[in-house]
């Protein structure tokens, strides 16, 4: 048999074959850039979704601005103010302290005393039983008083209201704690206002004026005795 001689030149080199199978360097660079850009896009998408969810959570679950006593809304006499305690927090520290359901979710309102009798009115706009209590100081359990527990909603559209009156000392601050008597997701949408006499506040007599009055009485008494003695001497 005659076999053809195969020389080393005719045999494919393994190294040369391997080099022919390698990817072109430009393709590798493009692939690396694509992978990096994809990671960046995914990271940005995750960040955007996180920010969006956080924003939605803040908008939906944010408590009302007067959810705490120190942030109470200031009331003016004869000026109704609307409120909604649906997203307010429960005030467990006030449980059983100042009127019925004092530990329920509530909003706070402030009244400045003028030495007059203040009458507070609260009615509901969504047929929810709404109670309240009056505190003398924030972050304490100094209860001034509260109206009787409501068994039926005091609806605003029918002219009903939950009413409580108290003596508001001149210069003292009082805080009305308006809560919803419900465990439903929807709280009470209510209106609150207060009235007081329109005359000037009654001022307590000062110590100086009391001393002046005492001196005046003594002077009058001495003058009266002097006149009596003078009249008796003439007669």
């Amino acid at each position: 048999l005659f076999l053809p001689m195969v020389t080393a030149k005719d045999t494919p080199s393994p190294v040369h074959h391997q080099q022919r199978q390698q990817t072109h360097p430009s393709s590798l660079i493009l692939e690396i850039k694509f992978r990096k850009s994809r990671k960046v896009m995914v990271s940005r998408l995750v960040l955007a979704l996180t920010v969006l969810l956080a924003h939605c959570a803040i908008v939906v679950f944010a408590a009302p601005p007067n959810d705490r006593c120190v942030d109470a809304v200031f009331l003016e006499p004869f000026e109704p103010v609307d409120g909604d305690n649906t997203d307010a927090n429960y005030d467990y520290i006030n449980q059983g302290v100042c009127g019925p359901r004092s530990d329920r979710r509530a909003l706070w309102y402030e009244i400045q005393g003028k030495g007059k009798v203040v009458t507070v009115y609260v009615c509901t706009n969504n047929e929810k039983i709404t109670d309240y209590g009056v505190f003398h100081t924030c972050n304490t359990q100094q209860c001034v008083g509260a109206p009787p527990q409501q068994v039926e909603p005091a609806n605003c559209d029918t002219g009903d209201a939950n009413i409580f009156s108290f003596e508001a000392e001149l210069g003292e601050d009082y805080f009305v704690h308006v809560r919803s008597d419900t465990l439903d997701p929807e709280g009470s949408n209510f209106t609150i206002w207060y009235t007081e006499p329109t005359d000037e506040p009654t001022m307590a007599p000062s110590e100086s004026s009391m001393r002046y009055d005492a001196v005046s009485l003594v002077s009058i008494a001495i003058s009266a005795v002097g006149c009596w003695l003078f009249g008796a001497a003439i007669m």
Side-chain angles (χ1 to χ4, degrees):
L1 294 175
F2 176 77
L3 297 174
M5 295 181 64
V6 179
T7 62
K9 183 177 180 180
D10 297 328
T11 304
S13 173
V15 176
H16 180 68
H17 179 72
Q18 184 178 4
Q19 289 177 352
R20 285 191 299 173
Q21 297 296 325
Q22 289 180 352
T23 307
H24 194 275
S26 60
S27 300
L28 289 175
I29 294 174
L30 290 175
E31 184 177 357
I32 292 173
K33 288 183 177 181
F34 173 74
R35 290 180 179 179
K36 287 184 177 179
S37 62
R38 184 171 61 182
K39 289 182 179 179
V40 171
M41 291 177 62
V42 172
S43 300
R44 290 179 178 177
L45 180 61
V46 171
L47 179 60
L49 290 174
T50 303
V51 172
L52 178 62
L53 292 175
H55 177 71
C56 292
I58 292 174
V59 171
V60 174
F61 300 107
N66 55 332
D67 182 57
R68 301 188 305 163
C69 181
V70 293
D71 299 320
V73 171
F74 188 79
L75 297 178
E76 295 286 353
F78 307 100
E79 294 186 8
V81 174
D82 294 329
D84 192 326
N85 54 25
T86 297
D87 296 325
N89 290 311
Y90 287 82
D91 295 313
Y92 296 110
I93 191 174
N94 295 322
Q95 184 173 7
V97 173
C98 198
R101 288 114 180 174
S102 57
D103 60 337
R104 301 292 173 87
R105 53 191 178 190
L107 300 181
W108 292 89
Y109 298 87
E110 181 180 356
I111 296 175
Q112 188 175 54
K114 300 177 182 177
K116 303 178 181 181
V117 174
V118 167
T119 301
V120 180
Y121 300 82
V122 174
C123 61
T124 179
N125 298 295
N126 60 347
E127 297 186 350
K128 299 288 185 180
I129 293 180
T130 309
D131 290 295
Y132 65 93
V134 180
F135 290 81
H136 196 183
T137 309
C138 281
N139 300 321
T140 67
Q141 296 182 344
Q142 298 181 16
C143 177
V144 176
Q149 180 174 341
Q150 297 294 288
V151 295
E152 295 291 339
N155 295 313
C156 299
D157 56 0
T158 58
D160 297 329
N162 197 359
I163 304 173
F164 175 71
S165 299
F166 65 96
E167 181 75 29
E169 298 180 12
L170 181 64
E172 295 292 326
D173 294 325
Y174 299 88
F175 301 90
V176 186
H177 184 245
V178 185
R179 55 255 184 179
S180 175
D181 179 29
T182 178
L183 297 177
D184 298 334
E186 182 185 14
S188 176
N189 182 304
F190 59 88
T191 301
I192 179 174
W193 72 99
Y194 80 94
T195 62
E196 62 184 11
T198 56
D199 56 344
E200 292 297 323
T202 303
M203 300 292 292
S206 62
E207 185 178 352
S208 59
S209 63
M210 293 177 66
R211 287 198 301 266
Y212 176 80
D213 292 340
V215 172
S216 300
L217 289 174
V218 172
S219 300
I220 293 173
I222 293 175
S223 300
V225 172
C227 293
W228 181 79
L229 292 176
F230 179 75
I234 294 176
M235 294 177 64

